[in-house]
Amino acid sequence: MPAETTAAKINQYVRWGSIAIVVVSLLVIIRTLPFDVVTSAMNEWIGSLGWWGPVVLVLLYIVATVLFVPGTILTLAAGAIFGLLVGTIVVSIGSTIGAALAFLISRYVARERVAKLAKDNRRFAAIDRAIEEGGWKIVGLLRLSPALPFNLQNYLYGLTPIRFWPYVLTSWIAMLPATFLYVYLGHVTGAAVGADRERTTAEWAMLAVGLLATIAVTVYVTRLASQKLDEQVDQDQRENADTSKQSGSVATSNARRTVLLATIAVSMVLLAVYVSMNSGDIESTVTSWLGPPAVDATETHSPNPSGPNIDHSLLDEVLATHVQEGGWVNYEALRDNTGKLDRYLDVVASAPWDDLGRDEKLALLLNGYNASTLKLIVDHYPVDSIKDIPATDRWDAVRWNIGGNIWSLNQIEHEQIRPHFKEPRIHFALVCAAVGCPPLRREAYHPDRLNEQLEDQTRIVHDHATWFEHLAGSNELRLTKLYDWYAGDFLQSAESIPHFAATYSQSLRQAIDSEQDPTVEWLPYDWSLNTLPNRRPR
């Protein structure tokens, strides 16, 4: 076998092996990074825009394309947020319009600068001549092939003889396979981590088979396009240069591409290893950027023992009737009989807020938040998760009346409770209607028993593996993500997160006293609805 043929096959094996390594590394990175946190934050923001959400993502994609910013993250996010169909449409529109604008900029605005950059590129010169002869067919092959970066292609085509509309139509069609692949990848990772729950083997198998099939089809189409493109370009190069010199040039070019791809693959592996080894620190950093706002908790309300008392008996009845042991809610029955819940919300709305003492206010806020969340779910039932409710109607909807003040659920938690009560146990009392939330009590919080109830609620959380795991003699500690999201609140009351949790765990206290520093990991936070059909061991 000729040496040149052997070298070509080795290059081919290395290239495809590198591509496989890059794909696997990318999956590891996405699976390890807090993609759910980023997606949730972006989903909240885009979702809050209503029907403007997809429009904004299209505009972001257009800007990214024109400015040479890789659109991979936006494509993945589109798949995770909007799903396969809408995500593909959004990315396709954005990438096509962006490519069209870059083409027009190159042809009519910055032609001399782009031409100067492309002048010394021998492969582009050959592609230019191939496009002159093959027109839109060569553009289609290039779009399907990784021969030139996507954003660079958009500008280079403005220098070629290709007409605008054939270029746009061909680009749109030829970019669809890669668009669908990355949207599907975002959809898979979003589905895998977005709900943050343990998935069945069948679910993982379906996700994996669909992803592998999509990758296989895309790679196959890309390979065919690359081969056809090479034939076209090589033929043009042979017609315009000495064959022996050109052969050496092509071999050198292929070798450089192989080295570059292999370097990228090695870099991706190193990045995947780094991300895997530092996932905790990365997630904490991202959470601090995108998570709940930090607050400086202080006690700002006076006790006022002679102040008025609020009657929470209606909520007691609602919870005792519709909440079962473990915090599972019969939302269907509650939906059919909301009378007491509605009357209790009227009680909360008419409470004399300014005259209430400290414990009365905190009990009112906790009960008002939980009762409002029940009402929110009932108003949109049936839903699989509170996150299925449009963002504009969910945590940021300013609609809940607490003592004559109209607040959103986020305002109740982050503006009225956390800053004004130095009480981190409230995070185990506020319930967001999810399986991963602390269990909803079968009674309302009452000012005269508030400390006792908060202490009991916190102990319940630390007695169940859904929120707390620590094996005696082990330095591994697994905690609910509430500790991660609201770390600052707990650190204002304890030396460290493990020290706070150790108050409710004898084995953890003994480990800390023995100077065994526990390694903290975060338990999955299941956002599926805390409804009876989802009932499971805690």
Side-chain angles (χ1 to χ4, degrees):
M1 180 181 295
E4 291 182 1
T5 304
T6 302
K9 286 194 172 183
I10 292 175
N11 282 338
Q12 187 178 37
Y13 292 148
V14 172
R15 284 199 296 270
W16 286 109
S18 299
I19 291 173
I21 291 173
V22 168
V23 170
V24 173
S25 299
L26 183 62
L27 287 172
V28 171
I29 291 170
I30 293 176
R31 187 67 183 94
T32 306
L33 287 175
F35 190 65
D36 56 335
V37 177
V38 178
T39 301
S40 179
M42 184 174 287
N43 195 1
E44 286 294 316
W45 174 58
I46 292 179
S48 67
L49 302 175
W51 64 270
W52 281 102
V55 176
V56 168
L57 195 56
V58 167
L59 294 176
L60 289 175
Y61 213 104
I62 293 171
V63 172
T65 301
V66 172
L67 297 181
F68 280 90
V69 178
T72 305
I73 297 298
L74 291 175
T75 309
L76 295 172
I81 295 172
F82 299 119
L84 278 177
L85 178 60
V86 177
T88 300
I89 293 173
V90 166
V91 173
S92 184
I93 293 174
S95 60
T96 303
I97 295 177
L101 286 178
F103 177 94
L104 295 174
I105 291 172
S106 173
R107 177 160 291 186
Y108 299 110
V109 179
R111 183 175 181 84
E112 291 184 4
R113 183 171 180 82
V114 176
K116 183 178 180 181
L117 294 174
K119 179 177 64 176
D120 297 327
N121 189 313
R122 300 176 64 182
R123 185 167 182 80
F124 173 69
I127 289 173
D128 184 22
R129 289 190 293 271
I131 290 177
E132 187 173 4
E133 295 181 6
W136 62 269
K137 297 178 183 178
I138 304 300
V139 172
L141 291 173
L142 279 166
R143 287 300 191 190
L144 291 168
S145 167
L148 289 174
F150 166 72
N151 288 338
L152 177 61
Q153 286 187 47
N154 301 327
Y155 283 93
L156 293 180
Y157 289 137
L159 306 179
T160 68
I162 187 73
R163 289 182 298 158
F164 177 73
W165 286 113
Y167 156 79
V168 172
L169 182 60
T170 302
S171 295
W172 168 62
I173 295 174
M175 289 188 300
L176 280 176
T179 295
F180 184 81
L181 170 62
Y182 281 99
V183 170
Y184 190 92
L185 183 60
H187 175 65
V188 168
T189 52
V193 302
D196 213 356
R197 65 176 175 82
E198 295 296 329
R199 293 190 167 268
T200 65
T201 303
E203 287 178 308
W204 279 114
M206 290 179 64
L207 291 173
V209 169
L211 177 60
L212 290 175
T214 305
I215 292 175
V217 171
T218 305
V219 168
Y220 177 71
V221 172
T222 300
R223 184 174 182 180
L224 288 180
S226 297
Q227 291 175 349
K228 185 64 177 177
L229 178 63
D230 285 339
E231 291 176 6
Q232 293 285 338
V233 174
D234 289 348
Q235 179 181 353
D236 184 81
Q237 288 174 331
R238 284 194 298 270
E239 293 174 356
N240 292 275
D242 178 72
T243 303
S244 60
K245 291 182 180 180
Q246 192 61 41
S247 177
S249 175
V250 171
T252 302
S253 177
N254 287 338
R256 288 176 180 172
R257 280 191 291 169
T258 301
V259 171
L260 177 61
L261 196 53
T263 302
I264 293 174
V266 172
S267 301
M268 290 293 291
V269 169
L270 294 176
L271 180 60
V273 171
Y274 174 81
V275 167
S276 298
M277 293 178 64
N278 297 275
S279 59
D281 292 339
I282 294 173
E283 181 167 357
S284 295
T285 301
V286 173
T287 301
S288 67
W289 291 343
L290 302 175
V295 299
D296 184 12
T298 56
E299 289 287 345
T300 62
H301 299 295
S302 61
N304 192 19
S306 61
N309 298 318
I310 307 301
D311 183 4
H312 300 285
S313 60
L314 281 171
L315 184 59
D316 279 327
E317 295 179 33
V318 169
L319 296 175
T321 303
H322 299 289
V323 179
Q324 296 192 8
E325 194 68 30
W328 306 105
V329 183
N330 188 343
Y331 287 106
E332 186 172 356
L334 181 58
R335 178 194 59 184
D336 296 336
N337 186 15
T338 62
K340 290 183 180 179
L341 178 60
D342 292 336
R343 292 202 301 276
Y344 177 71
L345 288 174
D346 290 338
V347 171
V348 171
S350 61
W353 175 257
D354 293 335
D355 299 330
L356 299 178
R358 186 265 186 192
D359 289 350
E360 284 283 356
K361 283 185 176 179
L362 182 53
L364 182 68
L365 289 168
L366 294 175
N367 291 330
Y369 183 99
N370 290 341
S372 299
T373 301
L374 288 173
K375 178 63 173 174
L376 175 65
I377 298 299
V378 167
D379 286 347
H380 293 84
Y381 194 81
V383 290
D384 294 327
S385 167
I386 190 172
K387 287 192 169 186
D388 292 339
I389 299 173
T392 50
D393 298 332
R394 204 191 315 148
W395 293 308
D396 289 322
V398 182
R399 57 171 288 199
W400 308 107
N401 192 331
I402 308 288
N405 305 286
I406 309 301
W407 292 319
S408 69
L409 291 174
N410 272 338
Q411 287 175 320
I412 296 172
E413 179 180 6
H414 304 311
E415 297 179 13
Q416 299 303 319
I417 299 180
R418 294 175 59 215
H420 299 291
F421 300 89
K422 196 171 184 178
E423 180 53 88
R425 293 177 300 178
I426 59 98
H427 295 299
F428 306 121
L430 295 171
V431 180
C432 58
V435 173
C437 290
L440 186 62
R441 293 178 73 85
R442 302 188 69 219
E443 62 177 1
Y445 289 95
H446 293 271
D448 57 338
R449 295 192 294 119
L450 188 56
N451 184 67
E452 172 193 337
Q453 289 177 307
L454 289 175
E455 190 69 5
D456 180 63
Q457 183 72 4
T458 306
R459 289 193 179 279
I460 289 174
V461 167
H462 290 79
D463 284 340
H464 293 84
T466 300
W467 307 284
F468 178 89
E469 288 183 357
H470 179 262
L471 300 177
S474 170
N475 67 341
E476 294 184 1
L477 175 63
R478 305 185 73 204
L479 298 173
T480 168
K481 286 185 178 179
L482 290 170
Y483 273 117
D484 186 28
W485 296 335
Y486 301 100
D489 294 16
F490 293 103
L491 293 177
Q492 291 180 57
S493 298
E495 178 183 341
S496 67
I497 297 298
H499 275 81
F500 186 95
T503 307
Y504 305 94
S505 169
Q506 183 177 359
S507 66
L508 180 57
R509 169 52 58 192
Q510 292 174 346
I512 292 177
D513 291 343
S514 302
E515 298 184 352
Q516 298 179 15
D517 295 330
T519 301
V520 178
E521 295 181 1
W522 306 118
L523 291 162
Y525 201 91
D526 191 342
W527 282 103
S528 54
L529 197 65
N530 60 343
T531 186
L532 288 181
N534 288 333
R535 182 166 45 189
R536 65 200 69 169
R538 291 291 198 178

